[in-house]
Amino acid sequence: MLRRSRRAASDRAGLLEVFGAAAALAIGVIVGGTMLSFAIARKVVTPATRRLTDVEIVGIDRGSQTITLARSFDTVLPGRYGLFVNEAHEYLKIGSVLSASEHTVTRKLLTHVAPGKRIADRATFSGWYFVHPEELHIPYEDVQIDAPVGPCPAWLFPAREGGSGSTWAISVHGRGTTRSEVLRAAPVFRDAGLTSLAVSYRNDGEAGRSSSGRYGLGATEWRDVVAAIEFARSRGATRIVLMGWSMGGAIALQTVLNTAHADVVDSIILESPVVDWRTVLNFQARALHVPAPVAHIVRRQLTLPRWSRVVRAGNAISLNDLDVVSRADELVHPILLMHSDDDGFVPSEASHSLAEARPDLVRLVSYSEARHTKLWNYDEARWRRHILAWLRDRGLGADVS
């Protein structure tokens, strides 16, 4: 009996040791997963303080003015693009692909690189192309919009002579960028006879800072676009087209769903837009090999008030409110939606779903290999043609090609 009880005690001790180790491991996994989810959730809503390099510069031929880059989905794209170099202090414009191998791509330099000019070996690939409105060679005015968070700088491009001073386009940039991103649209709107406004919004590094200092993913930024609408109306605008890029698309959609000025908004143009944040967050989680339970916690941390205060020091974000597919029946404004199915950052799934839900309002223009917010770069003529046709069909733009 004594041996049996000793053996039983030993077995119990062994089991307790096993269960204790398992419990410790489980707690470690839970704590580790929770900490990881907090880090991801915070990154989603925190404006970046610096540009992350994503392309290697293999070499520059200053004689022929060409640049060779490591091959990637972006660097092999046809068209015109840009590179932020030397820790993002300088911008190089690059042109067509001249040659490509299995590992590298050589492109034409459109910004002259002088002999002896130092260029770092890492850069950020960009679709902006234009950084400052002076590069467009069209008239513009620096203006300030009085928004709830304070002054929001904007660039105002007046309608060309003979155009309409009462029809305006307001362009809203995406997450982690500035109003320079939307400069590509200004010449098109001007050619169509519209006045256009490239705006900034809270926490983008140019506009005022909110109390949280973090993104609302469209749930808060729309108020600054409403201020831009009020500015346009004070300058004589009676019909307004909203154009949103990436997260700017989510902001534009939230604007029309929430503003008291919905009557003055004629229509919306969306370029690579976020239509449903759950789709984007799930896509990014899979791309980063984040376990599904951790991705679920990320979404909860953004939406539950107690956790959200830790993540973004502000109110919780309602992903339901930001899911415009599920709210499609609330939309009343016609939408031109342009998205590439190989976007790589914001999947086009929700854009297709929105077009299917509201075929009466949404005109979907699909691309197959233009990537994220690079539709203008990939095929400028096609991009321009679709926007001009949309404006003309809405009775807003001049009949230009």
Side-chain angles (χ1 to χ4, degrees):
M1 288 292 293
L2 185 59
R3 286 181 182 172
R4 217 173 266 171
S5 63
R6 284 179 178 172
R7 186 179 300 115
S10 176
D11 289 344
R12 281 196 299 272
L15 286 172
L16 286 172
E17 185 177 349
V18 170
F19 281 118
L25 178 61
I27 291 171
V29 169
I30 293 170
V31 171
T34 302
M35 294 301 292
L36 174 61
S37 64
F38 269 125
I40 295 171
R42 187 175 285 269
K43 184 175 181 180
V44 169
V45 296
T46 301
T49 56
R50 63 187 181 88
R51 297 183 185 280
L52 297 178
T53 58
D54 57 10
V55 62
E56 177 188 358
I57 298 177
V58 178
I60 295 178
D61 187 329
R62 289 166 173 80
S64 62
Q65 289 295 299
T66 61
I67 186 168
T68 300
L69 308 171
R71 185 177 184 128
S72 71
F73 289 119
D74 284 329
T75 61
V76 76
L77 288 171
R80 297 182 293 166
Y81 302 87
L83 295 171
F84 286 98
V85 298
N86 297 344
E87 298 182 346
H89 295 303
E90 298 175 73
Y91 194 75
L92 298 181
K93 294 178 180 179
I94 58 176
S96 58
V97 173
L98 302 176
S99 64
S101 69
E102 183 180 356
H103 301 292
T104 63
V105 179
T106 298
R107 309 185 71 116
K108 182 65 180 173
L109 272 170
L110 301 179
T111 300
H112 181 77
V113 178
K117 172 69 175 177
R118 176 192 169 275
I119 301 294
D121 59 2
R122 299 288 300 178
T124 305
F125 194 86
S126 172
W128 286 16
Y129 196 74
F130 303 109
V131 176
H132 194 273
E134 289 179 350
E135 300 169 38
L136 300 175
H137 304 291
I138 60 176
Y140 77 95
E141 177 185 353
D142 285 302
V143 298
Q144 295 280 349
I145 294 169
D146 294 325
V149 292
C152 292
W155 290 312
L156 190 158
F157 300 92
R160 61 176 172 79
E161 188 175 349
S164 171
S166 62
T167 304
W168 285 45
I170 296 176
S171 297
V172 187
H173 68 79
R175 178 186 179 278
T177 68
T178 68
R179 54 197 161 126
S180 293
E181 179 180 48
V182 306
L183 285 175
R184 287 166 282 181
V188 182
F189 290 133
R190 179 174 169 80
D191 286 346
L194 277 63
T195 297
S196 67
L197 199 60
V199 302
S200 58
Y201 54 78
R202 61 190 65 193
N203 306 317
D204 70 356
E206 293 189 324
R209 185 181 184 276
S210 69
S211 58
S212 73
R214 295 189 171 90
Y215 294 128
L217 306 182
T220 55
E221 294 84 356
W222 65 267
R223 294 180 174 86
D224 304 326
V225 178
V226 169
I229 293 174
E230 292 170 348
F231 174 90
R233 297 193 77 166
S234 73
R235 292 286 192 101
T238 58
R239 299 178 75 183
I240 293 174
V241 176
L242 293 181
M243 181 170 187
W245 307 58
S246 191
M247 188 177 87
I251 296 170
L253 288 167
Q254 290 303 304
T255 300
V256 298
L257 288 170
N258 290 286
T259 182
H261 301 283
D263 60 322
V264 78
V265 177
D266 175 87
S267 56
I268 310 167
I269 300 174
L270 301 176
E271 148 80 86
S272 311
V274 177
V275 176
D276 168 26
W277 272 105
R278 286 192 186 90
T279 303
V280 178
L281 293 172
N282 291 339
F283 175 85
Q284 290 294 331
R286 289 192 298 271
L288 295 172
H289 305 291
V290 174
V294 174
H296 174 73
I297 296 173
V298 169
R299 295 191 297 273
R300 299 285 285 176
Q301 287 170 344
L302 291 172
T303 57
L304 294 178
R306 188 173 298 174
W307 279 3
S308 182
R309 282 193 290 272
V310 177
V311 170
R312 63 184 300 271
N315 295 329
I317 297 172
S318 172
L319 295 181
N320 288 334
D321 288 349
L322 297 177
D323 180 358
V324 181
V325 176
S326 67
R327 300 182 64 187
D329 61 342
E330 299 178 44
L331 295 171
V332 296
H333 297 90
I335 298 171
L336 171 63
L337 200 166
M338 300 182 290
H339 211 144
S340 185
D341 290 331
D342 74 335
D343 185 290
F345 187 79
V346 175
S348 62
E349 173 188 341
S351 291
H352 283 277
S353 297
L354 183 61
E356 291 168 5
R358 291 305 303 268
D360 56 321
L361 289 181
V362 180
R363 178 187 298 178
L364 176 63
V365 177
S366 293
Y367 288 68
S368 59
E369 55 178 350
R371 307 292 288 171
H372 185 59
T373 65
K374 298 181 178 71
L375 279 59
W376 176 93
N377 310 77
Y378 178 79
D379 190 341
E380 180 184 355
R382 182 187 177 195
W383 189 87
R384 171 187 168 89
R385 186 168 62 250
H386 281 298
I387 292 179
L388 288 175
W390 174 260
L391 296 173
R392 186 172 57 248
D393 293 347
R394 298 292 307 157
L396 299 175
D399 189 10
V400 295
S401 59

